[in-house]
Amino acid sequence: MTEEPILDELDRRILNTLQTDASHTNAELAELVHVSPPTCLRRVKQLTEGGVIERQVAIVNPDKVGARLTAIVEITLDVQAAERMDQFEKLAALENAVMQCYRVAPGPDFVLIVQVPDMPAYHALAHRLFTSHANVRNVKAYFSTHRSKFDTRIAV
């Protein structure tokens, strides 16, 4: 297990600001968190190199790009040996429509968050990832009818 980094108040201000909008220039970010640009740049570099900041991305509205169907899918495997769990996890990671994949306990073995254009696309994904995979015993899917909250921020 990796050691959790010690974050001071400046690190927290930087992280909270970047989680709200990562498009700020270093100068803008420095001004927003009340430090000099060189200090800000050094801290962001340390947070990135230390793995606290994994990556910076643009969050795309799924409705604007035709990925209107969100499914939350529970997967139970027939055999839960470590290598079989790893095998399924790797297959899920290869699917572009699988946005998130979690090993969970108790209950199912995995919970997936899937984003696809429509039900035919979900069925194609289900065939590729679930029904053609010999170790999948049970699939339970929930289809979102309304997204009332979506956030990527973590309280720091």
Side-chain angles (χ1 to χ4, degrees):
M1 190 158 166
T2 60
E3 190 174 308
E4 187 174 312
I6 298 170
L7 303 175
D8 65 12
E9 183 56 35
L10 175 56
D11 293 330
R12 293 177 196 287
R13 288 196 316 265
I14 290 170
L15 292 170
N16 284 322
T17 302
L18 287 175
Q19 286 187 96
T20 301
D21 184 354
S23 69
H24 295 295
T25 66
N26 182 62
E28 292 168 342
L29 180 60
E31 185 176 334
L32 289 167
V33 299
H34 310 292
V35 295
S36 70
T39 297
C40 187
L41 188 62
R42 185 178 68 251
R43 288 296 188 99
V44 170
K45 183 178 180 196
Q46 288 171 346
L47 290 166
T48 302
E49 289 174 352
V52 176
I53 297 173
E54 287 187 23
R55 59 188 168 172
Q56 295 184 22
V57 299
I59 298 171
V60 176
N61 181 335
D63 289 337
K64 303 291 184 183
V65 294
R68 292 183 172 89
L69 183 64
T70 303
I72 298 94
V73 185
E74 296 179 355
I75 305 295
T76 304
L77 300 181
D78 198 31
V79 178
Q80 285 90 12
E83 63 274 0
R84 300 297 294 272
M85 300 279 276
D86 290 343
Q87 181 183 37
F88 179 81
E89 201 168 56
K90 287 175 185 168
L91 286 171
L94 292 174
E95 285 288 344
N96 288 333
V98 176
M99 307 303 293
Q100 299 173 48
C101 176
Y102 300 94
R103 284 192 191 191
V104 296
D109 297 310
F110 292 92
V111 172
L112 308 179
I113 308 299
V114 175
Q115 197 79 43
V116 291
D118 50 28
M119 194 55 78
Y122 174 79
H123 283 293
L125 169 78
H127 178 72
R128 283 191 313 274
L129 191 57
F130 313 142
T131 59
S132 65
H133 191 278
N135 194 36
V136 173
R137 179 178 46 186
N138 190 39
V139 177
K140 189 172 187 179
Y142 304 88
F143 298 97
S144 173
T145 58
H146 173 71
R147 181 171 82 177
S148 60
K149 180 177 181 180
F150 173 81
D151 204 340
T152 61
R153 294 175 295 162
I154 296 173
V156 291

